[in-house]
Structures are given as C-alpha cells and as structure tokens.
Amino acid sequence: MNQTLDRRRLLATAALGGVVGATGLGSLAPEAAFAAEPATIEPGAPDPNFAEGRISKISGNLLLVTGSDTVLHAIRITDGTSLWKLHPTTFDRVAVGDGLYARGVRLPDGTLAADSVWLNIVNLHGHIAAVGRNVLHLDHQGRRIVAHVVPDRSAAVYNGTPAVSDMSLLRVGRHVQVLGAWHPDTNEIDIAAVYAAA
C-alpha cells in the first residue's frame, strides 16, 4: 500500500543527524539547520533568525513560506545564500511546494535575509523492511518510506566509520538513521546518508 506523508508529519518525527559539509559562508551540514539558538534569545522564545515551512510562492528572490504553525515568512535569497537540496544547489532548483529550514538575519521590514536554506531536508529513524536495487523500504513509526539511493551521492556510515558508497551491509530488520531530501507530497526521499551498524 502506497501511503503518502505530509511534510509536517514527516519532519515532526525527524531527529538530528551528522553529515558534515561546509561552504565559504559557513556550514551547509543539514544539522546546522537545527543548531542551538544564540544565547541572546530567551529560553522558549522563537529564534527570530530561523524560519521553517513550505514555499507557497516565489517572487523574484523572495520566498513566501507558510510555517508548520501557520506563521507566514518572507525569506530573501541573496547572492551569498547557501542552498542545500540533497547537495549544495542553486536558486533555480527551488520550487513552490518545497519544504525548508532557513537561517539568516531579520531585516527591518520583517523579511529574513537567508544565510543558509535547507530544502526538503529529512532526518529520520526507522527499520529496513526491504532492500531493492538502489532503494530501501523503511518502516518509520508505522509508515512506509521509500528511500532512493542516488548514484555518486548517497553514502553509508557503518558503526561511525567514514562514509562509503557501499550499501551492501544494510540488512532487513536493522535500525537505521537516514538523512536525505523529501520528494514533496509523497512518501519518498533521496538518501544523502544512511547510518547503520554493520
């Protein structure tokens, strides 16, 4: 049975992971999207320099985003904005319907000038239900996720060792953590990294 998940439900179950990457402007590592709030923010208060949600409109270099809490965000993409969509990417790859996390600086007009934007990022835990050619079928909190292996992009990390492209040690029934990019409005993701015990 093909179940679809909405981004909010899928991301609500996400946990932090550990693929490391960097640009000249700072980390593009997906976990940086969830970095600790600066000390100047009162505990429990929202970080004014962070936004999350789903893109509802693109107007020039401005993304209009509806947050999972229905808060509306205006996010300005600049020449210095780092974009991640399974890998570092460009603004022309951003689409209406993409989910995002963004960090930047709040401007006087209320828009967020983004330093970094992570598009369709997911980071989830599950059990391998089946292994196919270039695909893992995962059980994630009672839901089926189809995780695609992307040639020359996806990697596996076994027992904390350096990442490798060899997925042959992944076995049915094993617990895994998967970091990747969601295919909007589906139960499918592309794998950036799979963390597993060998």
Side-chain angles (χ1 to χ4, degrees), residues 69-92:
D69 56 1
T70 69
V71 170
L72 300 176
H73 302 280
I75 301 171
R76 188 163 311 281
I77 304 300
T78 70
D79 290 341
T81 302
S82 299
L83 297 160
W84 183 94
K85 195 174 190 178
L86 190 63
H87 52 83
T89 193
T90 57
F91 185 66
D92 61 334

Side-chain angles (χ1 to χ4, degrees), residues 25-198:
L25 296 172
S27 178
L28 256 186
E31 69 271 14
F34 308 100
E37 296 175 356
T40 58
I41 297 173
E42 191 170 317
D47 183 344
N49 298 319
F50 177 82
E52 62 78 31
R54 198 152 179 200
I55 300 170
S56 56
K57 184 177 180 182
I58 300 173
S59 179
N61 67 346
L62 191 67
L63 304 177
L64 302 177
V65 175
T66 303
S68 61
D69 56 1
T70 69
V71 170
L72 300 176
H73 302 280
I75 301 171
R76 188 163 311 281
I77 304 300
T78 70
D79 290 341
T81 302
S82 299
L83 297 160
W84 183 94
K85 195 174 190 178
L86 190 63
H87 52 83
T89 193
T90 57
F91 185 66
D92 61 334
R93 300 283 310 204
V94 177
V96 170
D98 281 345
L100 64 70
Y101 289 100
R103 283 202 175 277
V105 176
R106 193 66 62 178
L107 299 176
D109 66 0
T111 62
L112 181 70
D115 290 328
S116 299
V117 175
W118 298 267
L119 298 155
N120 299 328
I121 185 174
V122 293
N123 193 345
L124 52 90
H125 292 264
H127 288 86
I128 300 174
V131 178
R133 181 177 167 90
N134 292 325
V135 68
L136 297 175
H137 295 270
L138 305 174
D139 283 328
H140 171 68
Q141 297 189 349
R143 293 177 174 80
R144 182 61 56 99
I145 303 293
V146 179
H148 300 276
V149 176
V150 179
D152 301 320
R153 182 67 56 194
S154 300
V157 176
Y158 300 107
N159 301 324
T161 60
V164 295
S165 61
D166 179 12
M167 302 275 179
S168 66
L169 298 178
L170 298 173
R171 300 283 184 255
V172 172
R174 295 265 175 95
H175 177 268
V176 292
Q177 180 179 0
V178 180
L179 182 68
W182 173 57
H183 297 203
D185 300 315
T186 72
N187 66 330
E188 299 183 45
I189 64 172
D190 288 333
I191 298 170
V194 178
Y195 299 85

